[in-house]
């Protein structure tokens, strides 16, 4: 347990925006950073369990930092961070679609949003057992490899049908304007 506390204190004192904010609060209040951070996490957890707007707060947590980190990954020269955040967004998308269909039932479960927030933080955490990597390699990738040819064929068919429909609409839409132009020419 002591190593966990040491790692947490190392994180709280490492340079960055959170450590800077905690340093300012520590200087103003005289309360140690560890207690400030622990109290903030406890408050956030309680708010996610009992607070109004827990869904919005949970979605903000699952979106803001990953969006920021994704932009940084796009701007960096490394491919590894791009892959990490693309994997997160694929898992986030799959989770969001699944949640859409099950939300009617799930939001009635006590502490659902706290659990969802823990899940999203696990999916974005920079650890070897990162949630998005685990879910991608155990669920999404095998499903994709099994079904991608059928989906590619279906998407090709949909694309061809969309092009046909667009050309038909364009042709049929031009006919009245051509007829109108003929009428104008005849009237002259």
């Amino acid at each position: 347990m002591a190593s966990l506390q040491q790692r947490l204190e190392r994180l709280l004192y490492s340079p960055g925006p959170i450590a800077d904010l905690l340093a300012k609060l520590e200087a103003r209040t005289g309360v140690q950073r560890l207690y400030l951070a622990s109290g903030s996490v406890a408050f956030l957890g309680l708010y996610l369990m009992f607070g109004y707007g827990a869904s919005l707060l949970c979605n903000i947590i699952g979106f803001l930092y990953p969006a920021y980190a994704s932009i940084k990954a796009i701007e960096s020269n490394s491919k590894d961070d791009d892959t990490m955040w693309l994997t997160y967004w694929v898992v986030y998308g799959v989770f969001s679609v699944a949640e859409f269909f099950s939300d009617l039932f799930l939001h009635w479960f006590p502490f659902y949003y706290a659990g969802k927030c823990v899940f999203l933080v696990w999916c974005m955490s920079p650890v070897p057992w990162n949630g998005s990597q685990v879910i991608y390699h155990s669920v999404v990738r095998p499903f994709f490899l099994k079904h991608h040819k059928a989906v590619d064929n279906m998407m090709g068919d949909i694309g061809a049908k969309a092009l046909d429909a667009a050309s038909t609409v364009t042709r049929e839409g031009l006919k009245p304007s051509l007829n109108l132009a003929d009428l104008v020419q005849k009237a002259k």
Side-chain angles (χ1 to χ4, degrees):
M1 191 64 158
S3 67
L4 178 64
Q5 184 176 357
Q6 290 171 347
R7 289 191 320 193
L8 181 60
E9 285 185 8
R10 194 170 37 237
L11 175 71
L12 295 176
Y13 285 93
S14 64
I18 294 175
D20 295 343
L21 175 66
L22 287 172
K24 288 178 186 176
L25 289 173
E26 184 178 33
R28 277 195 177 159
T29 63
V31 178
Q32 292 180 17
R33 291 181 198 199
L34 180 62
Y35 298 133
L36 289 169
S38 300
S40 298
V41 168
F43 174 77
L44 183 65
L46 287 171
Y47 190 84
L48 284 168
M49 287 188 247
F50 304 112
Y52 180 75
S55 173
L56 176 64
L57 179 61
C58 185
N59 288 332
I60 287 172
I61 290 169
F63 176 79
L64 278 183
Y65 176 73
Y68 173 74
S70 296
I71 293 169
K72 284 182 70 171
I74 290 168
E75 296 301 322
S76 77
N77 293 328
S78 172
K79 180 187 178 302
D80 293 338
D81 55 359
D82 297 354
T83 303
M84 182 184 123
W85 289 109
L86 277 171
T87 305
Y88 173 82
W89 289 114
V90 167
V91 170
Y92 183 86
V94 168
F95 177 76
S96 294
V97 169
E99 183 185 38
F100 174 79
F101 291 106
S102 61
D103 191 44
L104 180 64
F105 306 107
L106 290 178
H107 78 274
W108 287 102
F109 282 98
F111 315 128
Y112 169 70
Y113 293 111
K116 177 183 172 183
C117 191
V118 167
F119 170 76
L120 292 173
V121 168
W122 174 55
C123 284
M124 70 176 89
S125 62
V127 294
W129 38 273
N130 172 291
S132 57
Q133 297 292 325
V134 169
I135 292 169
Y136 177 79
H137 288 291
S138 62
V139 177
V140 176
R141 186 170 188 268
F143 183 84
F144 172 78
L145 292 175
K146 184 176 180 181
H147 299 287
H148 78 92
K149 290 180 182 172
V151 172
D152 287 346
N153 291 335
M154 182 179 65
M155 294 306 284
D157 292 344
I158 290 172
K161 288 179 182 178
L163 284 174
D164 289 344
S167 65
T168 302
V169 167
T170 303
R171 267 194 321 269
E172 295 300 321
L174 289 177
K175 282 183 182 178
S177 63
L178 290 175
N179 291 339
L180 181 61
D182 291 341
L183 290 173
V184 171
Q185 285 296 329
K186 289 179 184 178
K188 289 183 180 180

